[in-house]
Amino acid sequence: MSKENILTSEHNDVRENFITHIIDEDLASGKHQSIHTRFPPEPNGYLHIGHAKSICLNFGIAEDYNGLCNLRFDDTNPVKEDVEYIDSIKQDVEWLGFKWEGQPHYASDYFDQLYTYAIELIKKGLAYVDELSPEKMREYRGTLTEPGKNSPYRDRSVEENLALFEKMKNGEFAEGTASLRAKIDMASPFMVMRDPVIYRIKFASHHQTGDKWCIYPMYDFTHCISDAIERITHSLCTLEFQDNRRLYDWVLENISIERPLPHQYEFSRLNLEGTLTSKRKLLKLVEDKIVDGWDDPRMPTISGLRRRGYTPASLREFARRIGVTKQDNVVEYSALEACIRDDLNTNAPRAMAVINPVKVVIENFEGEEILSAPNHPNREELGRRELAFTRELYIDEADFREEANKQFKRLVLGKEVRLRNAYVIKAERVEKDTSGKITTIFCSYDPETLGKNPSDGRKVKGVIHWVSATNNKPAEFRIYDRLFTVPNPGAEEDINSVINPNSLTIKQGFVESNLANAQVGQGYQFEREGYYCLDSKDGNADHLVFNLTVSLKESVAF
Ligand code: ATP
Ligand code: MG
């Protein structure tokens, strides 16, 4: 594509922001001819909604500018990483609808090159093997207000450093007894520049490189070099890496790697009200069995949101709406819910489900009548479905009262209500069990009211939903509420003290028979109840399990 086209390309995925402005300038000035970004997750957990923001930014920019985006696993810490995480990350990125350039990359693909660059730094007198203990090293580092002190090992000769680094590589040092450090400035106001460790010893098997290495490069050394090797133009990360940019540039400027060099830009991370966006904290919820795995529908993970019924389009729209800035902020949870609600309101077929069933008997009706109902109130193209109207029906307990004032526009003893997509019925009498609980509501129906008002001008205000009691599918409903009782659970010392005990309520009820064909990944609006989806793990045609995706209307926040 020509440069003009690149410059005029529309911001479809990513709304204009300070990063797109920088890119526009870089293209206009000829600094870059094309754009290459990357998404660099560490495979130490499942991706969460914060990562979705970063994915939509990196892949979205590549799409908007007809550029490329790599998927790169930042796998320098084998102890915490796992192939299960790698697989889940690939699945999540693909599910969001993005395509990475070529094969997924791994920082570990570059371990040989990284090692060579470390040798180059040693030869230039810019790196040394330190034998301070981790405690001493911390002590020597100084504080934000006090400069650090040089390590006694700092002035070793190049030859000595080369020999010692070789010994580190050959496993001749124990873990924690030696490390390779960049020789920068122990008095720098930036802690990251105080002779940062660039290689450490870990006798750990790596999921990609096996037992080949017992020294592993640190993130700051690896990330910039990986970006440069992959010819990344704009390396986008979150604000906590702002200071690290100095080290990013220092490393690249001091090694002989192809120019032009990539540049790092930082944006603010997504914080979402009432949730955690830290893999470490989410892992703890999984380990402590507070949730049922990483993809529990209450988790803010991409896999949890998928199982909950969120669509890729809704998450991409969310990322678009929140935008990209440098200001730290907390996004209200309702902003995320609004995105899925908008999507499902337009796209979800309607269906009826009774979650707290009570039986209705239509005494003046026999047999079964097949009624037809639209799948969507204003999208004819979504077709129609058949509903079985039978003598025995279920309605929701909450839709009936023996006595009520005019505000209660549902079924009341002696009064009428419309059954959605069917007839007007009148409650005649009830039957109760010994505890006083209503077991059956006996009704009559008006056969002249299918799709029209009573001919004598009687006004029937309310409409309630229903399901046949004899032609239906039993279903389990998993009704979710927020997982935490506070807006900022990440700030809590004891997360257990702020878990909402009612974050999951399970109900057994009925859905219309059509839902025997419910598909995973398809959202439904259960009329008057909410948006639901078939659970991908426990739900199937023989055992329908539906997850509440989102309520019909915005619910109260904290
Ligand atoms: P966590 O603290 O959850 O482990 P992380 O930053 O360590 O997050 P990585 O796997 O290193 O996780 O992140 C991959 C990319 O996603 C990085 O570029 C990171 O900056 C970005 N990212 C992580 N969390 C967020 C967030 N909350 N908002 C936006 N981007 C994020
Ligand atoms: Mg990280």
Side-chain angles (χ1 to χ4, degrees), residues 62 79 176 200 209 287 304 309 385 402 421 532 541 544 558:
V79 184
R200 64 204 186 304
T209 58
E287 285 176 343
R385 66 195 198 275
E402 289 180 84
N421 300 310
Y532 280 81
L544 294 175
F558 292 91

Side-chain angles (χ1 to χ4, degrees), residues 38-44 46-55 58 74 89 219 223 236-241 267-271 277-280 282:
R38 86 288 169 266
F39 172 63
E42 194 183 335
N44 60 350
Y46 280 60
L47 298 181
H48 52 63
I49 185 74
H51 295 109
K53 170 176 177 173
S54 179
I55 292 170
N58 281 293
D74 229 318
I89 290 169
Y219 169 87
H223 197 80
L236 314 177
C237 65
T238 35
L239 277 173
E240 65 271 23
F241 292 101
F267 60 95
S268 61
R269 53 187 293 126
L270 167 68
N271 300 302
T277 41
S278 150
K279 281 181 280 185
R280 185 175 53 79
L282 293 173

